[in-house]
Amino acid sequence: MLFRSGFKKDRANFEDLLYRAEIYPGVQDASQTPTAVGTQVGLGVRVTSTQADQRQGTLNQTGRDLDIAIQGQGFLRVLDPASQDVMYTRAGNLDINTDGRLVIGSGQTGRLLDPPITIPEDAMDLVINPSGEVLVRVPGQTELVLQGQIQMAQFINPDGLLKV
């Protein structure tokens, strides 16, 4: 996989150095210490433009009941349903899949929120409060019932995350 790691200024344009990751950031080394930046091998240069903007965006109302926004730093932890790979995202377009679990994206193909939060099939109301608690009201209950807590993951160097 190729990564953007820096650039060298040329007279006519910008060229980026290309690297192949030998050891990914966060992998434990021989002393069981997580590596901060990993190890990469230089492959030369080519013109490219890939960089994530980690700045806070404008918060907008979407009109969808399950959409959330992350204010400040942090990522939601999700699992790919096919591979079970752990991934992180700042996307807040929540949905409920056919198993009643909260997912990021569509109910059919979304990535599973981790830790999992399951919404009862007969839930009448669903509330996600500012601290990330997911509460529902079910028939016969007057009070909202806690179903789970949306948890945030933070990274010392979010720009070092592998983009997939």
Side-chain angles (χ1 to χ4, degrees):
M1 173 137 308
L2 301 176
F3 298 89
R4 180 182 189 281
S5 66
F7 63 87
K8 164 183 147 180
K9 189 168 181 177
D10 190 278
R11 291 177 194 242
N13 57 32
F14 287 97
E15 295 180 350
D16 286 340
L17 298 172
L18 299 177
Y19 292 90
R20 180 180 70 232
E22 296 293 320
I23 299 174
Y24 291 104
V27 172
Q28 292 184 346
D29 63 17
S31 65
Q32 302 305 311
T33 304
T35 60
V37 294
T39 303
Q40 298 175 335
V41 175
L43 300 175
V45 295
R46 77 172 184 181
V47 177
T48 184
S49 175
T50 305
Q51 186 172 6
D53 182 355
Q54 300 288 347
R55 293 176 294 173
Q56 175 73 48
T58 304
L59 301 180
N60 296 316
Q61 292 288 335
T62 64
R64 288 181 26 102
D65 292 337
L66 293 178
D67 284 357
I68 60 172
I70 298 170
Q71 191 166 4
Q73 296 181 349
F75 294 81
L76 299 171
R77 179 182 160 121
V78 295
L79 296 175
D80 182 74
S83 66
Q84 294 300 301
D85 287 340
V86 174
M87 300 176 177
Y88 299 90
T89 183
R90 287 186 56 84
N93 53 324
L94 294 174
D95 204 348
I96 301 171
N97 70 9
T98 55
D99 296 326
R101 289 188 56 190
L102 282 181
V103 297
I104 300 291
S106 78
Q108 287 75 37
T109 60
R111 294 201 161 94
L112 305 166
L113 199 60
D114 187 50
I117 299 175
T118 303
I119 306 303
E121 192 173 308
D122 60 349
M124 299 182 309
D125 293 320
L126 187 145
V127 174
I128 302 172
N129 68 22
S131 65
E133 293 176 324
V134 179
L135 306 134
V136 299
R137 187 181 334 274
V138 294
Q141 299 273 337
T142 56
E143 298 293 320
L144 292 171
V145 178
L146 180 65
Q147 291 302 117
Q149 170 84 40
I150 296 174
Q151 297 180 13
M152 301 297 295
Q154 292 196 2
F155 298 92
I156 293 170
N157 180 17
D159 289 324
L161 294 172
L162 177 65
K163 293 151 189 72
V164 291

